[in-house]
Amino acid sequence: MKKIAFLSLLILGASCSQVKQQPTKPAPINVMSFNIRYDNPEDSLDNWKFRKDRAANAVRFYDVDVLGTQEVLHNQLEDLKQRLPEYGVVGVGREDGKEKGEYSALWYKKNRFDLLDSGYFWLSETPEVPGSKGWDGACERIASWAKLKDKTSGKEFFALNTHLDHVGVVARREGISLMLDRVNQLSGGLPVIVTGDFNSEPESDVIKHVTDPANPEHLTDARLASPVVYGPAWSFHDFGKIPYQHRPLIDYVFVRNGFDVLRYGVLAETENEAFLSDHAPVLVTVE
C-alpha cells in the first residue's frame, strides 16, 4: 500500500513539473493610436486644459498596453506622464530632437513590458538629422520606435508610431517608403505594430503602398484583418465640425509577422457633446 502511495506521489510530482514547464500563453495586447491635438489656445472650450483628464482616463479605461500619440507638445507630454505614471514613453520633440515641437510619443505599460531598445528618426532625406524637414513637407515629421518584451510570456515585438505630413504629397509617399524600410531593418523579424496619423484615407496611394502584398515589407491594416469592427468608418472630425458623411479615416494601426487581430474600434465618444480630441482614438486588440 505504501509502495502504491509513493508511486502515486511520484507521478503527481512529474505531472506538476510538466505543467510548470509549459510556456505561458501571451495575453492579448490593447493598442491605441491617438492624435491628442496640440495645445492650441485658439481651441476655446476644446483646448487641452479641458481635455487632458478625460484623455488620460480614456487610456486607462480602455486598459491600453501600447499607445501611439501624435501632436504631443512638451507640456502635454508632462501632463500625460503625471496622469499615467504606470507608462514608460519613447520620443523627442520633432523640431530639435529634444523638447521643441510635437512628439510622436510611444507609450508602453512598464509593469507588463521590458524596454529592450528604442529610438527615433525623421521622415526626411536625412533621417538622423534632428529637425530635418523632408521633401515637400510643411512640417518636420518624426517616428518613434521600441522593442518590447512581455515580462510574463517572454515574447518580444517591435512597435513604431509616426505622423505623416498633412501637405506634402511627396513627403507622405517617401516618408512611407522610409518608414517601411526602417521597420524592416529595426524589427529583426519580430512581430510588428505600427500606429499613426497618416493623413491619408484607405483608398489613397499612400495606404495602398503600406498594405501592398506585392511589397515584402508591407503591413496589414488592422481594420481589414479584424473579425469585429466597431464604431464609424472615420477618425478625424475636427471637434465635430466636419459633416458626418465627409469625415475621413486617417488614423491607423497596422500589424505584421504573426500578430492576430481580435477586435478593432474607432472611439467616437463624447461627454456632454465634448470630444476627447479632434481625432477619435483607434483601439485594436492583437494577440
Side-chain angles (χ1 to χ4, degrees), residues 18 27 153 166 194 197 204 234 252 270 275 281-282:
Q18 287 172 358
S153 70
H166 63 302
V194 171
D197 174 355
S204 67
W234 48 260
Y252 296 88
T270 60
F275 290 92
V282 175

Side-chain angles (χ1 to χ4, degrees), residues 43-264:
D43 281 346
S44 185
L45 293 178
D46 290 317
N47 181 259
W48 173 248
K49 65 184 176 184
F50 300 114
R51 299 185 289 108
K52 56 188 176 183
D53 288 326
R54 288 190 292 114
N57 284 339
V59 172
R60 277 187 158 168
F61 178 78
Y62 287 107
D63 195 25
V64 178
D65 297 300
V66 176
L67 170 66
T69 53
Q70 304 88 38
E71 292 195 21
V72 185
L73 296 180
H74 187 71
N75 68 295
Q76 293 175 291
L77 185 84
E78 293 302 316
D79 285 339
L80 290 174
K81 279 184 179 179
Q82 183 182 4
R83 287 160 177 77
L84 301 170
E86 65 270 38
Y87 289 83
V89 61
V90 174
V92 294
R94 69 188 187 185
E95 291 182 29
D96 63 355
K98 297 176 183 176
E99 297 179 356
K100 188 178 178 183
E102 296 176 7
Y103 292 63
S104 288
L106 180 64
W107 309 72
Y108 61 94
K109 271 189 183 171
K110 292 186 289 188
N111 66 349
R112 178 165 184 190
F113 303 112
D114 285 322
L115 180 65
L116 302 180
D117 197 4
S118 66
Y120 40 84
F121 57 89
W122 277 260
L123 303 183
S124 74
E125 296 95 325
T126 52
E128 315 309 329
V129 176
S132 55
K133 195 182 293 185
W135 305 282
D136 59 346
C139 303
E140 305 86 353
R141 299 292 177 177
I142 194 170
S144 306
W145 60 269
K147 283 184 181 177
L148 298 169
K149 180 177 180 179
D150 191 305
K151 292 183 179 183
T152 302
S153 70
K155 295 287 187 179
E156 298 178 14
F157 64 95
F158 176 87
L160 180 143
N161 176 57
T162 193
H163 188 180
L164 295 186
D165 202 71
H166 63 302
V167 173
V169 175
V170 178
R172 285 195 294 273
R173 185 182 68 238
E174 296 299 326
I176 278 297
S177 294
L178 173 63
M179 184 204 76
L180 290 174
D181 286 346
R182 286 299 180 98
V183 167
N184 205 47
Q185 293 165 15
L186 294 167
S187 65
L190 292 173
V192 169
I193 296 169
V194 171
T195 56
D197 174 355
F198 283 68
N199 274 309
S200 307
E201 297 189 60
E203 295 307 312
S204 67
D205 290 341
V206 171
I207 302 304
K208 285 182 177 177
H209 180 44
V210 175
T211 60
D212 181 8
N215 180 359
E217 297 180 346
H218 80 278
L219 306 171
T220 298
D221 184 347
R223 183 182 182 90
L224 299 180
S226 179
V228 179
V229 175
Y230 171 79
W234 48 260
S235 60
F236 179 60
H237 51 78
D238 193 16
F239 293 114
K241 296 170 189 171
I242 300 175
Y244 193 91
Q245 64 273 23
H246 296 303
R247 296 176 184 179
L249 177 64
I250 58 175
D251 300 272
Y252 296 88
V253 175
F254 297 102
V255 295
R256 196 177 84 184
N257 286 358
F259 270 123
D260 291 327
V261 181
L262 305 182
R263 62 173 183 158
Y264 168 102

